[in-house]
Amino acid sequence: MRAARRPRTRRAPGCAAQRLLDHDSGERAGAVLDTRRGDVAVVFDYRRYQRDVVELAEQLHERGAVIVLFTDRWLSPVARFAEAVLAADVAGPSPFDSLVPAMALVEALVAAAVDRLGSAGEDRVRLFGELADRVVEGLPEQVNR
């Protein structure tokens, strides 16, 4: 059973709106409709690739979105039209695929983006941390540092 998540749209000062899409077909259709040339869509698609993810990415690409794909070494079908493909090995010690290397790629990309933004990026991350610390309730002060 999938946990229900509401799609979220937010706008940060100096940044374009960001939208997290769930499996709701109406929300996905709205996202495709709202897509403009030059928008960036970050797509995560790993082995046992999902047809709906591939189709959504293709529709966004057809509307002019730049597709950034996180996938495994076998490459999602989205790789055919993605502008950037970040592949990670998903082999792990268990019988199941591991997404730990994929998370490392996400962290590396975020770190590179903050670095590229320079002091503005560093200030934003610092301010975000300060605000997040203030809204966390119920934790002892020493844990919240």
Side-chain angles (χ1 to χ4, degrees):
M1 175 181 237
R2 255 187 216 141
R5 288 187 308 175
R6 292 188 51 118
R8 298 176 296 179
T9 300
R10 60 189 171 100
R11 183 174 301 276
C15 296
Q18 302 131 30
R19 181 183 279 181
L20 172 66
L21 295 178
D22 203 346
H23 294 278
D24 179 85
S25 60
E27 178 64 23
R28 287 180 171 204
V32 171
L33 183 64
D34 292 342
T35 297
R36 301 289 177 257
R37 183 159 306 285
D39 286 354
V40 176
V42 179
V43 177
F44 294 85
D45 196 25
Y46 293 86
R47 195 163 45 155
R48 313 249 193 333
Y49 310 112
Q50 294 179 248
R51 180 176 302 175
D52 62 329
V53 171
V54 175
E55 290 173 356
L56 174 63
E58 193 164 27
Q59 292 169 356
L60 293 170
H61 174 70
E62 289 169 357
R63 301 270 308 174
V66 172
I67 307 297
V68 176
L69 173 66
F70 286 83
T71 189
D72 50 40
R73 65 186 176 117
W74 296 280
L75 301 181
S76 159
V78 174
R80 291 188 320 260
F81 52 86
E83 281 76 6
V85 177
L86 299 159
D89 192 353
V90 294
S94 77
F96 305 103
D97 290 345
S98 172
L99 293 179
V100 171
M103 290 301 299
L105 274 178
V106 171
E107 286 189 27
L109 182 64
V110 169
V114 170
D115 185 56
R116 185 167 185 175
L117 291 170
S119 62
E122 292 169 6
D123 289 346
R124 182 168 174 77
V125 170
R126 182 184 47 76
L127 288 171
F128 178 85
E130 290 172 5
L131 289 170
D133 285 347
R134 290 196 335 211
V135 298
V136 173
E137 297 179 37
L139 292 177
E141 186 61 33
Q142 55 272 48
V143 174
N144 200 17
R145 290 181 190 213

